[in-house]
Amino acid sequence: MALPLPQLLKIMVDEGGTDLHITTNSPPIIRVHGQLRRIEHPSLSPAETKQIIYSILNDSQKYKFEENWELDFSFGIKGIARFRANVFMQRGAVAGAFRRIPYEIWSFDKLGLPPVVASLSTKPRGLVLVTGPTGSGKTTTLAALIDKVNNERSVHIITIEDPIEYLHTHKKAMINQRELHADTKGFPQALRSALREDPDVVLIGEMRDLETIQSAITIAETGHLTFGTLHTNSASQTINRLIDVFPPHQQDQVRTQISMNLEGIVTQALLPRADGRGRCLGVEVLLPNAAIRHLIRDNKIHQIYSSMQTGQEKYGMITFNQSLANLYFKRQITLDLAMGVSHNSEELNEIIKRGPSTISSQLKATYTTSTVGVGAGAGAGAGAGAGAGLGTNPGTNPVRGKQFQDY
């Protein structure tokens, strides 16, 4: 007989995992430190997967799922954690993926983010983007930024999410969180009405299409601090993605808008630690200065990386290779891994040859001690360089002590 979902989720949390997968002809599978492991449980039949997943759906969600064959939602289990879920059909059977969302919103120090990232929350207006592959902790970083605004500024924050993951309470700021299909019918409608709701800060859970990106740029342009996410792997790629979604005849205008309103891009990836005890954060930070804004307007995006290299000490910018070298010098990742995930391994090799003295002060100030707990995006590992081998015996991959758990 299949274990109920709350019990399976508790096993995942107790094992230090971040994701639970329910599918047919397999035992439930959890992800720990980026790697998938089967738990000790009989393989699930199609009837059992449906029973497990339907046990947490209300009638409205069941109807919506049976209409669309997929469903996003979030929920909490008292005493365990909150979870983000995606339920879908595969080979005619019900399946689901459940992501753990900690109740606690972590500080920038705990997340291993450089101090310059925290400064983005103090911007009065403009567009701030957190990017990276699935499972790189984008939502966790955004939650930390929003929490800092909430603690320090008397402003009105509106978030538009699919679904709501981290729950924020009113602190110094007032915060309204809107969830797709529960509080609004879609991102475009919510973004159109956001400007009529007297916001100071707007968070867009995912900038997934032209209309959403256009709305985000407009909101930033009208004097609001706007946070958003994209699935891109570098700052330059992010700028290209923003521009390329628009038709050619609009791209010159969009370049001008981005050059004037972009305030920062944080690109991140989670990398397996050299000691096998969790993962650590690699990060790239772009903070547009006059030179970079000029390059964006003139469609010279390929030259931005050079400006980032020369603007590290003066402006606090960080290249991904600098971040990788810093992690390697601190023995947090292996040289092979650093070379494997680098976008320019030759440059990384040169940085490493020159030694730790070349690392920027921003990176040297980054909190690097392993931290307690697991971030919402800390375990998906899809783009963080971790292997995804399936361990058949949970005992072969023991849970580590709390001081070594993931970001």
Side-chain angles (χ1 to χ4, degrees):
M1 181 177 173
L3 293 175
L5 185 61
Q7 194 169 339
L8 293 172
L9 291 169
K10 187 175 188 307
I11 290 171
M12 183 260 285
V13 170
D14 290 346
E15 292 286 300
T18 54
D19 296 82
L20 169 69
H21 295 272
I22 302 293
T23 190
T24 56
N25 302 317
S26 169
I29 295 172
I30 61 175
R31 190 183 289 276
V32 181
H33 300 330
Q35 305 222 352
L36 296 177
R37 286 171 27 193
R38 293 183 175 92
I39 69 172
E40 291 183 357
H41 190 287
S43 292
L44 299 171
S45 67
E48 287 173 325
T49 62
K50 183 175 181 178
Q51 177 189 358
I52 290 169
I53 291 170
Y54 269 48
S55 69
I56 56 161
L57 300 181
N58 59 37
D59 290 341
S60 173
Q61 290 170 329
K62 290 175 186 175
Y63 175 79
K64 195 173 297 180
F65 173 62
E66 289 166 0
E67 283 284 303
N68 300 318
W69 297 348
E70 51 204 353
L71 178 70
D72 288 308
F73 61 101
S74 60
F75 62 97
I77 298 178
K78 189 174 181 179
I80 300 179
R82 279 181 52 77
F83 301 91
R84 183 183 77 195
N86 178 271
V87 180
F88 56 96
M89 297 294 294
Q90 67 89 28
R91 296 171 66 178
V94 181
F98 301 85
R99 168 73 53 82
R100 178 187 176 190
I101 307 168
Y103 283 115
E104 177 191 5
I105 297 174
W106 286 12
S107 68
F108 293 92
D109 283 349
K110 270 192 175 184
L111 294 176
L113 288 163
V116 69
V117 175
S119 70
L120 294 172
S121 67
T122 66
K123 300 290 183 181
R125 65 190 68 82
L127 182 62
V128 175
L129 300 175
V130 180
T131 77
T134 300
S136 58
K138 298 185 294 296
T139 303
T140 305
T141 298
L142 277 178
L145 284 163
I146 291 296
D147 191 55
K148 192 170 191 298
V149 175
N150 196 11
N151 278 306
E152 298 177 359
R153 298 172 60 182
S154 297
V155 294
H156 179 202
I157 304 168
I158 294 177
T159 76
I160 304 164
E161 304 173 69
D162 183 24
I164 291 172
E165 298 187 33
Y166 285 88
L167 296 176
H168 297 269
T169 58
H170 304 298
K171 297 178 183 176
K172 191 168 185 180
M174 175 178 70
I175 183 162
N176 287 305
Q177 294 183 263
R178 306 190 68 196
E179 181 172 315
L180 256 64
H181 311 303
D183 305 307
T184 179
K185 292 189 179 296
F187 275 116
Q189 296 94 319
L191 289 168
R192 278 197 298 271
S193 66
L195 291 177
R196 302 187 187 99
E197 293 158 6
D198 187 32
D200 300 289
V201 179
V202 178
L203 180 147
I204 304 167
E206 186 178 344
M207 294 163 59
R208 55 180 62 164
D209 53 31
L210 186 152
E211 192 169 8
T212 309
I213 291 172
Q214 189 171 40
S215 297
I217 294 172
T218 300
I219 292 171
E221 194 173 36
T222 52
H224 305 84
L225 179 58
T226 307
F227 294 99
T229 68
L230 282 171
H231 289 87
T232 49
N233 297 316
S234 70
S236 297
Q237 186 185 17
T238 301
I239 295 170
N240 279 325
R241 175 73 59 83
L242 291 174
I243 295 168
D244 289 346
V245 297
F246 289 87
H249 69 276
Q250 288 184 295
Q251 290 182 1
D252 284 343
Q253 177 191 345
V254 172
R255 285 189 196 96
T256 301
Q257 289 177 296
I258 293 171
S259 71
M260 294 173 64
N261 295 290
L262 184 66
E263 290 295 337
I265 298 174
V266 180
T267 301
Q268 53 189 59
L270 288 170
L271 308 169
R273 288 174 57 95
D275 57 12
R277 295 172 170 175
R279 292 187 290 172
C280 53
L281 184 68
V283 65
E284 180 171 277
V285 180
L286 179 146
L287 302 171
N289 55 20
I292 288 177
R293 295 185 191 281
H294 185 74
L295 292 173
I296 294 172
R297 278 196 300 273
D298 289 352
N299 196 22
K300 296 178 179 178
I301 311 300
H302 61 283
Q303 295 182 20
I304 287 177
Y305 188 77
S306 297
S307 292
M308 292 177 66
Q309 289 173 309
T310 57
Q312 293 183 67
E313 286 300 333
K314 184 174 181 180
Y315 298 103
M317 287 187 265
I318 299 168
T319 68
F320 191 53
N321 272 345
Q322 280 277 329
S323 181
L324 291 174
N326 181 56
L327 293 172
Y328 170 70
F329 290 140
K330 293 180 177 178
R331 301 175 183 260
Q332 293 197 357
I333 61 173
T334 65
L335 180 60
D336 285 345
L337 175 66
M339 292 296 178
V341 299
S342 171
H343 307 309
N344 185 343
S345 56
E346 291 183 6
E347 183 206 28
L348 175 59
N349 191 46
E350 288 300 316
I351 294 172
I352 290 173
K353 281 182 179 178
R354 292 197 296 268
S357 62
T358 61
I359 300 300
S360 72
S361 57
Q362 278 291 330
L363 281 170
K364 288 176 181 176
T366 301
Y367 185 91
T368 57
T369 304
S370 299
T371 51
V372 179
V374 181
L390 292 178
T392 55
N393 179 4
T396 62
N397 192 354
V399 178
R400 309 293 180 176
K402 285 186 178 179
Q403 70 272 28
F404 293 123
Q405 292 198 21
D406 293 348
Y407 139 15

